[in-house]
Amino acid sequence: MTAPPTTMETARRGATTASPPAADRAQRQDAAHEAPATARPTRQDSAHEASAAARPTPQGTAHEAPRTARPGEPRALAAGVDDVPQVLERCRALVRPALVEAVGRLHPWVGEMAAYSFGWCEVGGAPAVASGGKGVRQALAVLGAEAAGAPERAGVAAAVAVELVHTFSLLHDDIMDGDGDRRGRPTVWKAYGTGPAVLAGDALFALAVETLAAQPGGAGAVRTLSVALGDLVRGQADDLLFADRPWTGPERVRPDEYRAMAEHKTGALLGCAAALGAVLGGAGPETVAALDRAGRHLGVAFQIVDDVLGIWGDPRVTGKPVHGDLREGKKTFPVLVALGSPMGGRIARLLESGDAPETAATLIEEAGGRSAALAEARRHITAVETALADVPSTARAAGELRSLLGYLVRRDV
């Protein structure tokens, strides 16, 4: 996950001020794909440079028809969730030109790999129309700045930095996990090779630091990012070590260890995104800390909901095979809770053998693993709401931020 200093220095020395062809094509694609005011947003990043008419309506009106809160879900997080695609669209359209410009400063070959990872091009640089994700973290950065009372543009550099770091972490995660596909395409290490993928990840990390350092107040932003990256590495290390620990006995993984891992691996960067926007927006330390705390609790809830979906989710919705996490032997929160029950021995034997994942799923649910996981997710969602109560902000900024956080745990991200 971390980038070796010597490699990062090499990436900096190899950088060029000329935009690589892939970045130039991405900019041309932006213009070609601008949607008319009546167009519906699509899932593809290349179509997300919509006109100003696609932005959310003025204060309050975007949230006049809140959906009903789910059982155990705070009403404030439920409100306005259905309007979140508009919020994501607005933030992507704001951030995308700066992100393309930043990638354009990389070495052309490294820039091509970065553009490929964002879904802007194919191997070799040919233009692509591929989903690069919803841009959740960059939206958190923009909304964090707005929640601090700053204009939306104050969060752009934070959004670019977080998006670069997130992509850097995905490039290295895919190598460590041996994943060959991401969003329906070969991962960067599969498409370009392991060494080039590591180099591209290192370059993105260096570019993120450079982007923040160049901003007014950049020193504080870099410190915030550094803390998050340290936690991210810690969480990834724990996650890798969990795979080699036994299912039972004194060395087994405990639920509290899992919570810490999820906060570090998933929550640290979500908290950092919102906090960085606030830092560059001139917020005080209490506001920055509250946004970081909200993101970290969100990360735990997000990860636990993902665990539930990984065992019991509908494959038509999740895109994952039924009982996929059990077949892969993942130590997820519902499983860890169930292993501590009187049925734990039988469940452990099934997991060790890899046989009958359907039976294992049934036993885990009967042992209380599913209900305990959902209760734990609700507890962290409540903690998110508590943290946000400490953030002074306009009604619109607060509403959009709460809507986005509720959307993440609703969820199909």
Side-chain angles (χ1 to χ4, degrees), residues 356-403:
E358 298 85 356
T359 303
T362 299
L363 291 177
I364 291 167
E365 186 164 11
E366 291 176 357
R370 182 174 185 171
S371 60
L374 293 174
E376 182 72 13
R378 286 193 292 269
R379 185 176 74 81
H380 285 280
I381 292 169
T382 300
V384 169
E385 184 63 34
T386 300
L388 290 180
D390 294 331
V391 179
S393 58
T394 65
R396 175 180 171 180
E400 291 186 341
L401 188 57
R402 283 172 168 81
S403 295

Side-chain angles (χ1 to χ4, degrees), residues 3 59-60 119 123 234 253 263 280 286 334-335 346 365 384 398 404:
Q59 290 186 6
V123 175
R234 180 183 294 274
V253 181
E263 178 192 333
L280 295 184
E286 295 83 3
V335 173
R346 184 179 174 191
E365 186 164 11
V384 169
L404 178 58

Side-chain angles (χ1 to χ4, degrees), residues 214-264:
Q215 302 302 309
V222 170
R223 284 195 297 271
T224 300
L225 180 65
S226 297
V227 170
L229 284 171
D231 284 346
L232 181 64
V233 170
R234 180 183 294 274
Q236 180 68 13
D238 285 339
D239 194 32
L240 290 173
L241 290 171
F242 285 175
D244 295 326
R245 289 171 62 177
W247 292 105
T248 59
E251 296 301 315
R252 73 178 180 88
V253 181
R254 310 286 175 169
D256 60 334
E257 294 179 280
Y258 181 94
R259 291 185 195 96
M261 180 278 295
E263 178 192 333
H264 292 145

